[in-house]
Amino acid sequence: MSNQISWRRFSPLLLSAVLSLATFSGSYDKACANPEVVRPEPVQTIGKDGCVKEDQSETQFQADVVSTNRPTGQPTDGLPKLLKEGHHPHVALVLGGGGTRGAAHIGVLKILEENHVPIDLVVGTSMGAIVGGLHCAGLSADQIHDRLNNRKFYKAFNTVPIPVRIIIGPILLVPRLLGFHSYDGLYKGNKFAKYLNRSAPETEREIEELKPPFVAVATNLLDGKPTAISHGNLGRALQASSAVPFLRKPVPIEGKLLVDGGITANLPVVQARELGADIIIAVDVDETYDPALPEKHFRKMGSVPPRVISLMLTTIDAWSTTQADIVIHPNVNNITLLSFKKEDGEHAYEAGVTAAKAALPVIWNKLKASQAH
């Protein structure tokens, strides 16, 4: 698969994804007060690095506060209490969805590893789930970078070039004419799940065995609710959490029909809190919109759908960022969600490294303050 695939080829598919996002995100209530935040000085010109919510309460975050402030109509299925009560504050790393921009998560992980920041739980959505799941399976940030930067990764994700798949679409309709009705979508994603399983050690392919504990978040098409996957096969869970609507077929797991978690919980902060986290470090890989794009940008073929998707994700994540203790926001502007350009992935990775370095003082101050209670 060429690394030079253009957004023009993706635009019909992404428009369908936009419609799916619009349908599910309509239930979100975005009316909430923005907390006072602290922004550490950015490295170079990278903006919004290491934003931290000012803590106005005790270290322990009460569950009833989460339930009261959470957007209505979105309880999370499948959430056990993974973190046991203890004498030290439990730290959760939350990795949001964002496609190619999610390579920034690897850069963040590298800095957290090098500086021995304690992580007791990892919760991820879509690309965040892929990076987080492999990390909890024992892979270092450098190993994850190598796996996801490998041409085999792209080939597993996109087994047949999308234009070819669309061209042979009429042939794929033959089974339906014969009475066999598969789930809607261009790809099953089974090869992708196998690739991810092969990337993890053989002893680390069941989620319940991972250390630190890991949870992947997906969306259940049957009831529209976010679903936490805390047990079962790792590759299968990551396949479900990253199953972009229309592009990939839904994944049936335990009576649920799962698609990309970004539709209902793109930055799964609430899920981490419900799992028992006291301190949440969230990595938000949404674009920012300052400066605004020029009007002529949207005269380009295929320019509107990716912009609309980014706007939808930013809207979904706005409330979640107010519920995290520390938000690391790498500068991933101008990297499209499904870019297959190697340089875009590298740019996102470096942005993650830069943002995490800027956030380190805030992280250590928060941890020290919490331990003092």
Side-chain angles (χ1 to χ4, degrees):
M1 180 189 65
S2 171
N3 285 336
Q4 303 300 322
I5 293 179
S6 165
W7 269 103
R8 293 182 178 87
R9 299 181 181 180
F10 283 97
S11 57
L13 307 176
L14 293 177
L15 183 57
S16 296
V18 170
L19 296 176
S20 298
L21 284 167
T23 300
F24 281 98
S25 64
S27 62
Y28 275 78
D29 177 13
K30 297 300 175 184
C32 63
N34 291 325
E36 185 177 353
V37 297
V38 177
R39 291 182 173 85
E41 289 296 324
V43 176
Q44 298 175 350
T45 59
I46 304 301
K48 296 189 72 177
D49 295 309
C51 302
V52 58
K53 184 182 73 172
E54 184 172 272
D55 191 7
Q56 300 290 347
S57 62
E58 296 296 325
T59 301
Q60 184 66 36
F61 194 104
Q62 298 299 321
D64 59 339
V65 176
V66 176
S67 299
T68 301
N69 293 336
R70 183 175 56 201
T72 58
Q74 296 295 322
T76 307
D77 290 335
L79 272 177
K81 190 86 169 182
L82 289 185
L83 297 177
K84 309 299 182 182
E85 296 293 335
H87 298 293
H88 71 286
H90 295 296
V91 181
L93 180 64
V94 172
L95 304 178
T100 302
R101 299 197 292 255
H105 295 316
I106 309 173
V108 171
L109 274 176
K110 182 175 179 62
I111 299 305
L112 298 184
E113 283 179 359
E114 290 178 350
N115 289 274
H116 307 290
V117 175
I119 300 297
D120 301 299
L121 168 71
V122 177
V123 183
T125 293
S126 197
M127 189 62 166
I130 293 170
V131 174
L134 293 177
H135 171 70
C136 292
L139 275 69
S140 68
D142 288 339
Q143 289 174 319
I144 298 172
H145 185 261
D146 290 342
R147 296 290 196 284
L148 271 57
N149 206 29
N150 193 309
R151 192 170 183 269
K152 292 180 180 179
F153 173 82
Y154 294 102
K155 189 172 183 179
F157 181 84
N158 189 26
T159 51
V160 177
I162 291 177
V164 174
R165 180 72 72 164
I166 293 175
I167 291 172
I168 66 174
I171 298 175
L172 301 178
L173 292 176
V174 172
R176 289 184 175 272
L177 298 176
L178 299 177
F180 178 75
H181 299 282
S182 63
Y183 295 121
D184 188 29
L186 293 181
Y187 305 90
K188 289 182 179 179
N190 291 337
K191 290 185 178 180
F192 188 55
K194 291 178 181 178
Y195 176 82
L196 294 172
N197 274 330
R198 289 195 301 269
S199 297
E202 290 187 19
T203 57
E204 305 292 335
R205 295 177 183 174
E206 294 297 317
I207 295 177
E208 56 268 34
E209 301 298 327
L210 302 184
K211 300 294 181 184
F214 168 71
V215 169
V217 177
T219 298
N220 185 7
L221 276 181
L222 302 182
D223 59 15
K225 295 179 181 178
T227 296
I229 309 173
S230 58
H231 63 277
N233 182 264
L234 177 62
R236 185 75 164 169
L238 302 184
Q239 173 191 2
S241 183
S242 62
V244 179
F246 188 75
L247 186 62
R248 298 261 290 280
K249 296 179 184 293
V251 181
I253 296 179
E254 296 182 351
K256 299 179 177 67
L257 197 57
L258 303 179
V259 295
D260 198 297
I263 296 170
T264 52
N266 192 55
L267 190 64
V269 172
V270 167
Q271 287 72 22
R273 195 71 78 182
E274 291 178 332
L275 287 161
D278 301 310
I279 298 175
I280 295 177
I281 303 170
V283 185
D284 178 3
V285 292
D286 292 333
E287 285 188 292
T288 57
Y289 302 102
D290 184 20
L293 290 175
E295 177 270 342
K296 65 180 181 180
H297 173 83
F298 297 101
R299 296 182 183 275
K300 300 176 184 177
M301 182 73 72
S303 60
V304 172
R307 180 67 162 185
V308 173
I309 292 178
S310 291
L311 288 168
M312 297 291 292
L313 292 176
T314 300
T315 302
I316 290 173
D317 295 343
W319 183 87
S320 295
T321 59
T322 68
Q323 303 304 300
D325 298 285
I326 300 168
V327 177
I328 300 175
H329 197 163
N331 185 346
V332 290
N333 288 352
N334 302 317
I335 299 176
T336 48
L337 287 166
L338 291 180
S339 171
F340 290 98
K341 296 179 180 179
K342 185 175 181 179
E343 57 266 30
D344 282 345
E346 287 299 317
H347 172 71
Y349 171 80
E350 293 298 335
V353 168
T354 300
K357 287 180 178 178
L360 277 175
V362 181
I363 293 173
W364 285 121
N365 287 339
K366 182 68 177 178
L367 293 177
K368 290 177 182 177
S370 297
Q371 291 169 354
H373 283 281

